[in-house]
Amino acid sequence: MSSPLRYVLDGIHCEPHFFTVPLDHQQPDDEETLTLFGRTLCRQDRLHDELPWLLFLQGGPGFGAPRPTADSGWLKRALQEFRVLLLDQRGTGHSAPISADVLAQLTALQQTDYLSHFRADSIVRDAEYVRAILSPARPWSLLGQSFGGFCCLTYLSLFPDSLHEVYLTGGVAPIGRSADEIYRATYQRVADKNRAFFARFPHAQAIANRLANHLHRHEVRLPNGQRLTVEQLQQQGLDLGASGAFEELYYLLEGAFIGERLNPAFLYQVQAMQPFNTNPVFAILHESIYAEGVASNWAAERVRAEYPALAWAPGRDFAFTGEMIFPWMFEQFRELIPLKEAAHLLAKKVDWGPLYDPAQLARNTVPVACAVYAEDMYVEFDYSRETLKGLGNSRAWITNEYEHNGLRVDGEQILDRLIRLNRDR
């Protein structure tokens, strides 16, 4: 298992690894495989100790595992007693990354079939495959942030005997709720964030209105050549549910104009804040994380009609949207345009397999500790509480001290609290 790519960072032994897994775990004899990338971390002074494993499952879907830069945050607490695996989920990072170029040789139907193997159930089966290599003799523990928490509940459904402990942060999935119900709740949270943002920075409304009208009347191009539209400007509210996001968004608006023209620096900032070209899985598979045996059918687009304050037209006040995916994105974002037909096919796909086993979760015996954020913009608090009622052997710490990105902001303290919550039983 030793890799020539290993190195030491801030007293942490870091070792990259590559694993070959089937594209379709249900047909392991099929010749098509994927290469996954993971990075194992261990304190250098504990390298030869018999430490248990902790797998970190990243939020998303569609984003690679974090790249460590220091012995800090949740990683610092974890490395006190675990070896840690940072695994790029399939389709992200260095794990068979999805892009329009990668899929260019496939028809839309072939793209749809291929992409259907990149949901949480496949991610979990990848992880279990890797566990059998790294920790074949003992269960390991999980730490799941946001969508990574959803994956943890899938893991508990499929392979409970492979798990020792589970920690969830902002990731108690809304099991049993339809995509329509989920977006209906999260749109309300987005509306709340809009009111709070414009109440805090009252003159930001006039700037945002001016920007929207400018984009409506003029053809504005981002540095990559993509036209910037009002709809894309609304999506700059994607991070409104993270701590510090209000300030960042205000400063973006504050510097939007130089006199009567748009500031080039503003355009570069907007482009950098758009994850859809660089992380296409985030867009193309986002609604499918809520689909089990039904089609999502562009739920966010349909439900948005119930929230007219989040729509824009000339003469109306501007408002931001949140973590919602819309069909027009596959006509505007350069890296999504080639995937437009596949995106529509995925939105109409009805034969999605199950992601959770409620009966298994109800009789769960693996200790589960959860940080549930009461004002979470992305994972509805009330639905998380519903799921917790049906999750055996779970404990929850409910707090409004943190936003959804609490693990990133104060990870050492949050993980320590969850570890103590799990152990103090």
Side-chain angles (χ1 to χ4, degrees):
M1 290 296 297
S2 183
S3 166
L5 301 176
R6 61 186 181 275
Y7 58 96
V8 176
L9 169 69
D10 200 12
I12 305 171
H13 179 90
C14 306
E15 191 161 346
H17 298 282
F18 295 90
F19 310 91
T20 301
V21 300
L23 170 66
D24 183 356
H25 285 275
Q26 306 300 325
Q27 300 183 42
D29 295 331
D30 188 36
E31 293 184 0
E32 194 161 7
T33 61
L34 302 175
T35 298
L36 304 183
F37 173 82
R39 196 185 318 267
T40 61
L41 309 176
C42 182
R43 278 177 45 179
Q44 198 171 18
D45 60 356
R46 303 206 65 186
L47 193 57
H48 301 292
D49 294 350
E50 290 293 327
L51 297 174
W53 282 95
L54 176 73
L55 168 66
F56 177 70
L57 290 167
Q58 167 75 8
F63 295 88
R67 272 42 181 173
T69 58
D71 184 15
S72 61
W74 70 263
L75 187 59
K76 181 177 181 179
R77 176 63 184 88
L79 289 173
Q80 292 177 18
E81 55 186 280
F82 294 104
R83 294 179 189 273
V84 172
L85 172 63
L86 301 177
L87 184 67
D88 284 347
Q89 298 165 14
R90 57 169 56 197
T92 75
H94 300 315
S95 292
I98 294 294
S99 69
D101 287 346
V102 167
L103 301 178
Q105 304 306 313
L106 304 179
T107 67
L109 283 172
Q110 290 171 329
Q111 290 175 355
T112 303
D113 179 67
Y114 184 76
L115 289 164
S116 68
H117 297 298
F118 285 76
R119 293 204 310 160
D121 49 347
S122 296
I123 292 168
V124 165
R125 288 186 168 93
D126 286 342
E128 179 61 11
Y129 188 99
V130 171
R131 185 201 63 80
I133 297 172
L134 295 180
S135 184
R138 62 192 297 189
W140 63 2
S141 299
L142 305 178
L143 170 59
Q145 159 65 18
S146 190
F147 170 70
F150 292 22
C151 293
C152 289
L153 294 178
T154 301
Y155 213 135
L156 281 167
S157 297
L158 294 176
F159 306 108
D161 293 340
S162 297
L163 301 178
H164 177 61
E165 292 176 315
V166 175
Y167 306 100
L168 308 181
T169 58
V172 180
I175 296 176
R177 290 288 183 169
S178 69
D180 287 40
E181 291 173 309
I182 291 163
Y183 284 115
R184 198 164 285 121
T186 52
Y187 268 126
Q188 184 58 57
R189 296 288 185 178
V190 170
D192 294 342
K193 292 294 184 182
N194 270 280
R195 283 190 289 270
F197 173 76
F198 287 115
R200 183 170 177 186
F201 301 106
H203 53 294
Q205 185 70 74
I207 302 173
N209 289 350
R210 181 186 177 192
L211 263 171
N213 281 291
H214 184 90
L215 295 177
H216 179 67
R217 294 168 182 164
H218 302 87
E219 184 173 303
V220 175
R221 297 283 171 177
L222 293 171
N224 65 1
Q226 176 180 299
R227 183 175 182 178
L228 177 60
T229 64
V230 176
E231 296 95 335
Q232 291 175 41
L233 181 65
Q234 289 185 287
Q235 287 188 315
Q236 298 306 115
L238 176 64
D239 290 332
L240 277 176
S243 58
F246 278 26
E247 294 80 6
E248 183 178 1
L249 188 55
Y250 171 70
Y251 294 133
L252 176 74
L253 296 176
E254 184 184 55
F257 285 95
I258 299 177
E260 296 301 314
R261 65 184 182 88
L262 287 178
N263 185 344
F266 165 79
L267 298 176
Y268 276 99
Q269 285 177 280
V270 169
Q271 179 176 297
M273 293 169 68
Q274 292 181 339
F276 308 108
N277 282 321
T278 55
N279 300 80
V281 169
F282 182 48
I284 201 165
L285 288 178
H286 196 278
E287 287 200 355
S288 76
I289 70 176
Y290 305 124
E292 295 181 271
V294 295
S296 64
N297 197 26
W298 298 114
E301 174 76 3
R302 289 183 292 98
V303 174
R304 182 176 175 173
E306 301 173 21
Y307 294 85
L310 297 180
W312 183 84
R316 300 185 62 177
D317 274 343
F318 176 89
F320 295 100
T321 53
E323 192 181 43
M324 288 80 179
I325 304 301
F326 306 104
W328 59 259
M329 296 169 61
F330 294 86
E331 299 172 354
Q332 295 189 18
F333 288 96
R334 296 183 64 179
E335 295 300 317
L336 297 183
I337 291 172
L339 304 177
K340 176 181 176 180
E341 189 175 351
H344 283 288
L345 290 172
L346 287 166
K348 295 180 182 300
K349 181 178 170 66
V350 297
D351 58 344
W352 292 112
L355 294 171
Y356 311 106
D357 183 342
Q360 176 59 45
L361 293 175
R363 60 176 178 264
N364 172 64
T365 60
V366 179
V368 181
C370 315
V372 181
Y373 306 124
E375 298 176 6
D376 200 321
M377 190 179 87
Y378 310 96
V379 181
E380 173 57 31
F381 171 63
D382 289 337
Y383 295 166
S384 291
R385 292 181 64 195
E386 288 179 357
T387 296
L388 287 169
K389 290 178 182 178
L391 179 58
N393 206 25
S394 63
R395 284 186 170 186
W397 165 42
I398 297 174
T399 178
N400 62 359
E401 183 181 354
Y402 299 99
E403 293 279 3
H404 185 75
N405 63 335
L407 189 67
R408 187 182 308 159
V409 171
D410 198 14
E412 184 177 1
Q413 296 301 319
I414 288 177
L415 181 55
D416 182 71
R417 179 156 185 165
L418 293 183
I419 288 175
R420 288 187 284 113
L421 192 62
N422 251 355
R423 308 280 172 78
D424 182 24
R425 290 174 183 260

